[in-house]
Structures are given as C-alpha cells and as structure tokens.
Amino acid sequence: MRVLLLQPRPKGGLGFQSTICVEPLGLEIVAGALTSAHHQVKLLDLLEGELPVNAVKEFNPQAIGISCSFAVDTYRVLNLAQALRQINPKFFIFVGGHHASLTPEAFFHPAIDALVIGEGETTTPELISALEGGQDLSQVRGLVLNYPDGQVFTGIRPLLTNLDQVPFPRRDLTAPYRPHYFLGFRRPVITVETSRGCPYRCNFCSVWRFNRGRFRTMSPERVVEELAQLPPGDVLFTDDNFLADIPRVLRIIALIKQKRLPRRRFIIQARSDTIVAHADLIAKLKEVGLDQVFIGFEKTENQDLENVGKRNTVENNERALKVLQSLNIGVYASFIVDPQFNETDFKKLAEYVKRLRISQPYFSVLTPLPGTELFEKVKEHITTFNYELYDLLHAVLPTKLPLPRFYQELVNLYRSAYLKPSNVLFTVWWALKQLLLGKISLSHWRRLWYGAKLTVNPEAYFKPLN
C-alpha cells in the first residue's frame, strides 16, 4: 500500500519555532516499520510551510499520516488534513504523535479518519494492513476512530517491552532535507532516540504520562549500531534523561571506543543530580564527544522546585553547572517563568543567571500542556485554549502583572542574557565567519535572526501566529 507521511512545520516564529528544526525522527521510525511490512512509503517534510500538491498527486497515496507532537501544531495539522481532503476525498487520513495521542478530542474533525495513540511503529503497520485487507479497523488496538457521531477508542495497545525491536529510522527519506536541519547554529544535526520515558514525575511534563509511567532503554549494542550508520553531523539524543541508566551509558562509551566510531559532537538532556553524582562519567562522555547538555534548572528556589515535582535541588543545579563548565561542556539551562511573577521575581531570575554566568539560558512560561498533571490541576483557571499560544512563550494562565508588562519583563530576561554588546558582537562575527566558510546558509542565518528579533520584541507576543 502507498503511504505518505507528512511533517508540518511553522514558517518561523518565537523561540523554538525559529531556532530549532530537526529531522522528523518519529516519522522516520514509522517509515521503517512500514517498509518492513512491505508497504511503499514517501515522507514529505513541509519546511516551506506549504503543502506540495503536485508531489502528493504524483505519489497518489492510499493513506496519509500526519505527525502532531506539539500542541502548537494542532491547527496546522487540521488545515493540512482539510487541504488533503480537497485533493482527494478518498484519502485515508490519520494523525499520530505525542500531542495527538494525549489529546485525541482536538482532532475530532471530518477531514481526519483516525488517530494513532501511542507508539506509532507498532500500530501503524497493523492499521495499514487492515485497510489494505478491508478489515474492521475497530479490531486494531491503539486507535481512535472518527465517526460523524463521535470518536471510538479501540483499546490500549501494550507498549514495546524491548526497544531493540524499534525499526531503524528511514533517514534516506529525509536526505534531501538534511542540509536544512539545525539546532541553533549547529548544522547539520542528527537526532537519535535510545530510550523512552522518564523515571521522574514533573507535573508540567507529559513525557512520562505518554509512556504510562515507564522508562525503557535500547541496549548499548543497538545504540552504537545506529550511531555507526549515521550521516555526518552533530548528534542530538532525544532521550529526556540520557543518564538515567549509568551502567548502560558506560557500556555505550566503551563500545564507541571499541568500534572506533568517527568522532562527532553529542548533545544530551540530563538531570543535574545525576551529573553531580557521576562527574567522572561526564568526563568519560567528554572523551567520546559530549559537547553540550540541556538541563532543566526550572527554578531558583528549592520550594519552587518542589512545587513542580522536580525532586531535585538548586544546589545540585549549581554544582552540575560547575562540573560541566570545568570540562568546557556547554550548558543549555531552562528556567520556568511563572505567570504569577512580579517585577522583583523577574529581576531575581535575571540576576541569578548573571551570577552563575549561564551563557545559554532559555526562559519558558509555565504552560499547562494537555496531558500533564498540571493541566488537570489548573484547567479551570486557563484563560485560553487556543493551541497556537501553547508555545511555552505565551501566558495561558492569569498573570499577576498586566499582560503587556509581563511580556516586557519576559523580553527583558532575554535581552539581559543575550544582548550584551560583547555577546552581540561576538555572535555576529562568529556567524559571519561560519557563513563565509559555508557552515551555515544565508537562509539559516536569516531565520535565526528573525526569531531572535521576535523573541526580544514585546509587541511580537500579541501578533497573529503562523
């Protein structure tokens, strides 16, 4: 059966919408599973934000799957499904991904036939085979079927118990797009998944709920086998907590050395308490390429960390920062801005970042994403259910400050961190050098510049979004 997989994209915008564009790893994995089931697969990454109608007509798919991992993409997906339905009313259109799985009711729409709930690489091949054979889709577990009078859930599909069974991603399908994938100034960048879930229970995070409270890993051998097949570029491990299993990480390091894999730069996500407890492990990871770590600092006070269920301390955050800085490993430090912040709270956070000399902070507004414990706790207080505003930079809960003032203070955080004259001059010089060397493209530079200008402009937070 001919199956088309689509990755919708924003044309740019605030924050991550302009500063990050990585390969659609989930779709690549689903494509691998469909290929193993002997289906013909095409993947279109809509980097220009528009549907390539001619490419759709030329492939003439029998089924089309659309990814929706983030709440902010909801309306983009719905519009895309409607456009596809106009091309051919007979297309079977299904939607999957993180957000779609946790909020299937948002996709109860006549242009969408079904939703794949949970891990797509197991359910999707069975769905496509049932379609091909004219079988009853209600017998395929892990679906939500859209009917004119409502939605029907076909039952929970068990999670994979052995992640080594996850198909290798069909990265060849995204090869034409690879020069356009980036993480900030990093380009090219490849994403790799080696585990799913997280042992912790932060109330603002939906990852552990999507994975039903379970944490699962690939074997070190499977991880290194995939690393050996990657195209050139930096590697971003998408695991929410790469260091959750220390013996596994040690084995991965040993295998990378044993196999003599080409040296490349790695970026991971990790908790500060693990870094502090295993500083020697961080040094060993540095030896095989660890270049940057994303850490959720979240708050500057222990009580505030407790309030979001972080189960960590400010002291651990600061110690982990010192460990990484001593090894010359970069740190992306994420902080949560509470809608109830006043001017003093904003100033305190800015001074904290300055005192710790955090060069790459990220400030996100506390957002009750659908599917999280936080959403259930505060949903009666949410001021808007417009998913375009669920980008972690807009307030969807009441703010203590008048909204214009709140956004001005948020912008001031970014300005204080990134618009110091020395930082601006160095960044511009470095970017121009990379541009002349051909390591970044002009379009890449323009997109980053556009996103940065929006993020430090308080008026941009009130303008219509993509």
Side-chain angles (χ1 to χ4, degrees):
M1 197 167 186
R2 293 185 306 280
V3 184
L4 176 64
L5 300 177
L6 296 176
Q7 178 62 55
R9 298 283 187 180
K11 294 180 181 179
L14 294 165
F16 288 144
Q17 295 186 80
S18 288
T19 59
I20 296 177
C21 181
V22 295
E23 65 192 294
L25 182 60
L27 289 184
E28 291 173 336
I29 293 172
V30 170
L34 289 170
T35 301
S36 297
H38 309 294
H39 298 292
Q40 185 180 351
V41 187
K42 185 178 182 66
L43 196 161
L44 294 177
D45 195 336
L46 309 185
L47 294 174
E48 299 300 321
E50 304 293 337
L51 176 66
V53 175
N54 290 337
V56 175
K57 290 181 177 178
E58 181 180 349
F59 184 62
N60 191 26
Q62 295 154 291
I64 301 176
I66 309 173
S67 173
C68 189
S69 290
F70 304 104
V72 72
D73 288 327
T74 301
Y75 306 128
R76 202 169 288 120
V77 169
L78 294 175
N79 291 336
L80 185 57
Q82 291 182 84
L84 291 165
R85 190 66 74 197
Q86 291 176 0
I87 295 173
N88 187 343
K90 294 183 179 180
F91 286 155
F92 184 90
I93 299 174
F94 62 99
V95 177
H98 197 101
H99 176 62
S101 294
L102 294 172
T103 320
E105 63 274 11
F107 300 90
F108 178 50
H109 191 282
I112 297 173
D113 296 295
L115 294 105
V116 172
I117 307 299
E119 296 175 326
E121 68 270 12
T122 53
T123 303
T124 305
E126 189 174 331
L127 164 65
I128 299 303
S129 294
L131 279 172
E132 189 173 41
Q135 299 168 8
D136 183 1
L137 298 186
S138 67
Q139 300 304 304
V140 179
R141 297 174 73 182
L143 297 176
V144 167
L145 303 174
N146 283 345
Y147 294 106
D149 57 348
Q151 293 181 306
V152 174
F153 179 48
T154 64
I156 296 174
R157 177 178 290 271
L159 295 173
L160 279 171
T161 56
N162 181 6
L163 290 193
D164 284 5
Q165 296 174 352
V166 172
F168 282 92
R170 284 286 310 275
R171 290 191 172 88
D172 58 301
L173 295 178
T174 55
Y177 309 111
R178 194 153 298 281
H180 304 288
Y181 296 142
F182 61 87
L183 177 65
F185 282 111
R186 293 178 183 271
R187 187 179 70 99
V189 63
I190 304 104
T191 53
V192 175
E193 177 189 57
T194 80
S195 69
R196 292 179 179 175
C198 180
Y200 295 89
R201 300 290 183 269
C202 301
N203 63 22
F204 57 85
C205 180
S206 60
V207 169
W208 63 270
R209 301 195 84 177
F210 177 86
N211 288 279
R212 304 174 202 168
R214 292 181 57 191
F215 174 69
R216 297 159 294 152
T217 64
M218 289 181 178
S219 69
E221 290 73 18
R222 169 63 172 78
V223 172
V224 174
E225 183 181 0
E226 183 167 343
L227 290 177
Q229 300 176 15
L230 297 181
D234 293 358
V235 172
L236 168 64
F237 289 102
T238 63
D239 310 35
D240 287 273
N241 191 352
F242 185 78
L243 304 180
D245 184 338
I246 299 301
R248 187 184 80 115
V249 176
L250 287 169
R251 178 62 177 160
I252 289 172
I253 294 170
L255 286 173
I256 288 175
K257 292 181 176 180
Q258 179 183 321
K259 301 291 183 182
R260 296 182 178 179
L261 298 188
R263 185 173 179 84
R264 60 173 85 222
R265 298 186 299 181
F266 298 125
I267 305 102
I268 66 170
Q269 300 178 70
R271 284 176 58 94
S272 63
D273 49 0
T274 310
I275 293 171
V276 170
H278 300 279
D280 56 333
L281 173 65
I282 305 303
K284 292 177 181 178
L285 279 168
K286 170 74 173 181
E287 293 175 4
V288 296
L290 179 61
D291 189 66
Q292 199 122 25
V293 180
F294 181 98
I295 302 177
F297 276 48
E298 320 305 5
K299 299 290 185 178
T300 63
E301 298 287 345
N302 285 328
Q303 182 58 56
D304 293 331
L305 285 175
E306 184 177 333
N307 291 342
V308 297
K310 189 70 179 182
R311 289 167 57 189
N312 205 349
T313 67
V314 170
E315 291 75 22
N316 277 334
N317 290 343
E318 296 176 3
R319 291 177 191 139
L321 181 65
K322 290 181 179 178
V323 168
L324 295 169
Q325 289 175 337
S326 70
L327 293 169
N328 197 29
I329 295 172
V331 179
Y332 292 115
S334 176
F335 293 92
I336 295 175
V337 173
D338 196 293
Q340 290 298 299
F341 268 17
N342 57 30
E343 286 95 339
T344 302
D345 296 318
F346 278 105
K347 182 179 180 181
K348 179 181 176 182
L349 178 52
E351 291 176 345
Y352 183 84
V353 170
K354 181 180 180 180
R355 177 171 64 82
L356 267 61
R357 297 183 179 180
I358 299 173
S359 59
Q360 290 184 287
Y362 178 75
F363 307 104
S364 63
V365 179
L366 181 65
T367 304
L369 295 171
T372 62
E373 280 189 351
L374 180 63
F375 181 86
E376 297 301 323
K377 180 180 179 181
V378 304
K379 60 184 177 182
E380 294 182 359
H381 304 289
I382 294 175
T383 58
T384 177
F385 290 93
N386 177 1
Y387 286 131
E388 286 188 331
L389 300 179
Y390 283 64
D391 58 358
L392 308 183
L393 284 173
H394 284 86
V396 301
L397 289 169
T399 57
K400 177 174 287 187
L401 295 173
L403 201 55
R405 185 62 193 170
F406 177 85
Y407 287 133
Q408 180 64 63
E409 292 290 344
L410 177 62
V411 162
N412 288 345
L413 283 175
Y414 278 103
R415 288 177 174 173
S416 66
Y418 290 101
L419 293 189
K420 300 173 185 176
S422 58
N423 287 0
V424 173
L425 289 173
F426 176 80
T427 301
V428 171
W429 172 83
W430 184 89
L432 288 174
K433 180 181 177 181
Q434 301 303 303
L435 185 62
L436 291 172
L437 292 173
K439 294 185 177 181
I440 64 173
S441 66
L442 185 58
S443 62
H444 180 189
W445 166 244
R446 283 174 175 168
R447 180 165 178 173
L448 292 176
W449 183 255
Y450 170 74
K453 285 201 305 181
L454 286 181
T455 304
V456 297
N457 177 9
E459 295 180 2
Y461 292 75
F462 292 97
K463 292 180 179 179
L465 306 173
N466 290 316

